Amino acid sequence: MRPVHSFPDPVVEAIAAARYQHPDPRVRERTEILWLKSRNEPHGRIAELANVSRSTVQRTLRIFAAKGLDGIRLFGRKGQPSALPPHRATIEEEFRKHPPHTAHDAARRIEELTGVRRKASRVRTFLKDDLGMKCLKMAPIPVPPKNTIEGHARTQADFLKRGPGTEIGGRASR
């Protein structure tokens, strides 16, 4: 025998609000299924209208029957939580004072500060996503191949003193 789902008015209002306003698209999909079920649509029609499979409809209704709306909003998060966020304030304060030059430098300094060892790729993600920092690409100023650094610096200084040596619309003197 199929379970009978009851939807009191406050629950239907919460479902209707979450259908369009919840930030997670998976929750919006699940609440769409619940809203259609509250309108007494059959499972096949719900699957067609919500563009999901029948098993997704049945799974969503099973979750709602067991855990209610809170169960609809939760998804089984896999993996362990990161060890870096508890040290966020310490890391951020240190890196705002003395920014790291590379992700490897940042990983080494984080290990010294907190004792947490992470690879450069994970540290780069932490700096970008959690601290709002970004990596800046650095490159040397190119020097013409037939010139020395001193000669190039002298040419640049002369250019800054005299300007480009041409006027707009005029010809360059030789």
Side-chain angles (χ1 to χ4, degrees):
M1 185 170 140
R2 283 189 172 183
V4 177
H5 299 282
S6 64
F7 295 92
D9 288 337
V11 173
V12 172
E13 290 172 10
I15 290 170
R19 268 176 75 195
Y20 298 111
Q21 297 172 356
H22 200 279
D24 189 343
R26 297 176 299 177
V27 173
R28 290 194 303 260
E29 178 181 272
R30 286 179 173 184
T31 53
E32 177 75 19
I33 292 168
L34 292 177
W35 186 80
L36 290 168
K37 187 63 180 176
S38 73
R39 299 289 181 236
N40 295 321
E41 292 286 342
H43 291 188
R45 179 87 171 128
I46 293 171
E48 181 183 331
L49 292 173
N51 198 24
V52 296
S53 66
R54 279 183 59 98
S55 61
T56 300
V57 172
Q58 293 166 346
R59 186 180 325 108
T60 301
L61 293 173
R62 216 175 22 251
I63 291 169
F64 178 72
K67 300 178 183 175
L69 278 179
D70 291 334
I72 294 297
R73 293 184 189 110
L74 296 177
F75 292 89
R77 186 173 180 271
K78 294 184 170 62
Q80 297 177 343
S82 175
L84 293 177
H87 303 288
R88 178 188 170 152
T90 308
I91 296 168
E92 185 170 15
E93 181 182 338
E94 174 65 23
F95 285 178
R96 296 286 179 203
K97 287 180 189 173
H98 307 287
H101 294 285
T102 63
H104 290 283
D105 180 35
R108 181 187 51 78
R109 288 175 50 195
I110 285 174
E111 185 177 3
E112 289 171 2
L113 283 170
T114 64
V116 176
R117 185 177 198 167
R118 292 290 179 262
K119 290 186 176 182
S121 59
R122 178 61 193 118
V123 168
R124 194 177 297 116
T125 303
F126 173 75
L127 293 176
K128 182 180 178 191
D129 295 345
D130 294 6
L131 299 184
M133 301 176 97
K134 63 180 183 177
C135 298
L136 299 176
K137 292 186 178 182
M138 302 297 289
I141 297 173
V143 176
K146 294 182 181 177
N147 205 349
T148 64
I149 294 175
E150 293 80 17
H152 182 64
R154 202 170 25 257
T155 307
Q156 292 296 311
D158 291 343
F159 175 81
L160 291 175
K161 285 182 193 172
R162 285 185 273 131
T166 62
E167 297 300 323
I168 296 177
R171 290 179 157 186
S173 59
R174 294 188 181 209

